[in-house]
Amino acid sequence: MPETPIDPADAATISPATVIGPDGRARCAWVGDTADVQHYHDDEWGVPVRGDRALFERIALEGFQSGLSWLTILRRRDGFRSAFAGFDPAAVAQFGDADVSRLLDDDTIIRNRRKIEATVANARALVAWQAEQTHALDALVWSFAPEPSERQRPRTLADVPTHTEASRALAATLKSRGFRFVGPTTMYALMQATGVVDDHIAGCWRAGD
């Protein structure tokens, strides 16, 4: 990982799958030029996330993002956290019809009934699962982390899959536990975002090699 920004004179040597930011650093091209997304890429995307509560939040946000831009979710994240009791699974599991109605009137979040109800259902599924196994969600998600030798760093955006055998297995297991909005593509996005897989493009300053 470079300790200093890229010299603009060297920009031509950077992978076309990266973009040079105003600070001179090369980033994965999907970041674009929006500051909020740049900060998310630099500080969070691909950083290991552990713990059932943190992973429950990420699953919920990835589900709400389906069909929308991630920037839309980023700019409402504080609203989501307030609306969903800090994503405490035990608290969200107690939400009832009145809470769903309240959330449908909350313009600080994405007001989609199916996604709201899925988040409540997922909290209930997780709480029931935790009664059987401590750190159940963390253990499952991280069981799909590949060995470093099993993966090559992507060199272009075309090298980055939208789903994998592992994400399909993760989705299937979660669905068998009663989770919703956890399809293979959404679960691969979760795996990328939480550091289970490292898909920073070669040449990106955040690439781990």
Side-chain angles (χ1 to χ4, degrees), residues 25-39:
R25 281 175 164 166
R27 293 178 173 85
C28 302
W30 57 263
V31 173
D33 58 2
T34 304
D36 289 350
V37 181
Q38 288 177 356
H39 292 314

Side-chain angles (χ1 to χ4, degrees), residues 7-144:
D7 186 326
D10 295 330
T13 68
I14 302 302
S15 164
T18 61
V19 292
I20 306 300
D23 57 0
R25 281 175 164 166
R27 293 178 173 85
C28 302
W30 57 263
V31 173
D33 58 2
T34 304
D36 289 350
V37 181
Q38 288 177 356
H39 292 314
Y40 172 71
H41 167 274
D42 291 357
D43 300 334
E44 295 187 61
W45 194 74
V47 175
V49 173
R50 303 301 302 250
D52 282 8
R53 181 168 177 164
L55 289 168
F56 170 64
E57 173 179 349
R58 294 303 188 93
I59 287 175
L61 295 180
E62 292 290 350
F64 274 100
Q65 186 270 334
S66 181
L68 302 170
S69 73
W70 185 245
L71 179 60
T72 299
I73 303 302
L74 279 180
R75 290 180 171 172
R76 289 170 170 77
R77 188 156 55 169
D78 287 344
F80 276 112
R81 286 172 173 166
S82 176
F84 284 98
F87 287 103
D88 176 359
V92 178
Q94 297 300 315
F95 282 15
D97 292 342
D99 295 290
V100 172
S101 296
R102 168 179 60 82
L103 294 170
L104 287 170
D105 288 332
D106 189 340
D107 62 6
T108 68
I109 66 170
I110 304 301
R111 293 177 289 180
N112 180 298
R113 178 181 290 275
R114 291 180 63 229
K115 294 177 181 180
I116 290 169
E117 291 178 342
T119 301
V120 176
N122 292 351
R124 292 171 180 168
L126 177 55
V127 169
W129 191 8
Q130 288 173 326
E132 304 171 16
Q133 178 185 348
T134 304
H135 310 303
L137 185 57
D138 181 279
L140 174 67
V141 171
W142 279 93
S143 73
F144 291 103

